[in-house]
Amino acid sequence: MDELWTLAEGVEAAVREVGAKLAAGRPVEPTPERTAEEAMARFAELDGPAAAELRERLSALRPQAGWVPEELDGSVPAEGEWWVCDATDGAVQYLLGQPHWAVTATLVRDGAAVLAVVHAPELFGAGRTYRAVLGGGAQLDGRPIAPLERELATTVAATSQPPLVAADPVALRRAGESLSAMAGAVLAVRNLGPTALQVAQVGSGHLALFWEYGQDAGNLLPGALIAGEAGAAVTDAAGAAWTASSDSFLAAAPGLHADAVGVLRAVS
């Protein structure tokens, strides 16, 4: 565990440096591109160098770990040690000139996260940094964190969808049904940008719960480790153990988890 915490310090330094450069280059106004192709080309100009630098720095820290390319199918290898990273998690917000984006780096061992850093360079002005190691707890800006307990009716819940959810009609339908069910049970439902950051915020009490339908391991793994190490309950939507191959996800404060599962039980 001490080895992982030492590694986490180096990983945090890397993501902070990459995040600072991205923040300096972020457009102040929304990018004017009109089509998806134009927007992706513009994003690649900014994200490409950042992703290359992040890979170089993390590979130097852990040369025996492989590198999972940034792909949209959400899958990760089931065996071996791998870096799963996103230099600009929250590309949509980044291109719109909004602060809700992050740099994420996760070390995955045999399909499970053992180290995660989620750094949001512009959140709350000065930026916020979550980190966790398996069995070692979770921190926000160097301080231990824990979820906050509230009644379900007074909570703010968050949700999102995997990048390719439109190609998964079952997940797409469940996303709609669950949104209607949850909106009637909580104070408010929001989508606040990067999935990893939102799940991590469950661990620090900034959000009460987060749920999602569809496979999205690459985005969920860092936040899941942080939230779980902070003390949140991390499962699938039915309350069973969550793994990288699960087709749904739920993270909630322990006292809210059973109620949240009850709400999502209405989703077929």
Side-chain angles (χ1 to χ4, degrees):
M1 188 186 305
D2 290 342
E3 177 194 7
L4 285 176
W5 272 121
T6 300
L7 178 60
E9 293 177 359
V11 174
E12 180 174 339
V15 299
R16 281 181 171 273
E17 181 66 23
V18 170
K21 292 179 180 178
L22 281 165
R26 182 180 63 78
V28 176
E29 301 296 333
T31 57
E33 288 77 12
R34 295 174 59 87
T35 69
E37 291 78 10
E38 292 173 348
M40 289 303 295
R42 172 59 176 153
F43 177 69
E45 293 176 2
L46 299 166
D47 179 73
E53 180 179 349
L54 187 61
R55 179 171 184 170
E56 180 181 359
R57 296 190 62 158
L58 296 184
S59 295
L61 289 172
R62 194 80 167 184
Q64 65 267 40
W67 190 269
V68 177
E70 290 186 33
E71 298 177 349
L72 297 180
D73 64 2
S75 63
V76 298
E79 297 181 352
E81 196 170 83
W82 300 84
W83 286 112
V84 178
C85 304
D86 194 339
T88 319
D89 189 13
V92 172
Q93 290 77 232
Y94 184 87
L95 291 175
L96 289 175
Q98 298 179 4
H100 298 282
W101 59 278
V103 183
T104 72
T106 309
L107 184 64
V108 175
R109 184 178 296 155
D110 296 334
V114 297
L115 180 157
V117 175
V118 176
H119 173 56
E122 298 182 289
L123 198 65
F124 301 118
R128 308 301 295 271
T129 305
Y130 290 88
R131 66 180 183 180
V133 300
L134 185 63
Q139 300 175 348
L140 172 58
D141 296 334
R143 302 184 303 274
I145 55 174
L148 293 179
E149 300 288 359
R150 295 183 175 89
E151 293 183 358
L152 189 64
T154 62
T155 64
V156 176
T159 189
S160 188
Q161 295 82 41
L164 297 180
V165 69
D168 185 346
V170 175
L172 188 61
R173 174 179 53 78
R174 287 174 171 170
E177 292 178 0
S178 64
L179 178 59
S180 296
M182 194 64 74
V186 300
L187 180 65
V189 175
R190 298 289 183 265
N191 185 335
L192 299 176
T195 294
L197 179 59
Q198 293 186 91
V199 179
Q201 287 177 313
V202 175
S204 59
H206 290 87
L207 290 170
L209 64 93
F210 176 95
W211 86 97
E212 184 179 275
Y213 284 92
Q215 291 189 347
D216 195 16
N219 287 317
L220 289 168
L221 278 166
L225 179 64
I226 293 166
E229 287 296 325
V234 177
T235 68
D236 68 10
W242 180 81
T243 69
S245 61
S246 296
D247 64 0
S248 64
F249 178 87
L250 171 65
L256 290 171
H257 182 261
D259 291 339
V261 170
V263 172
L264 296 176
R265 194 170 290 130
V267 179
S268 59

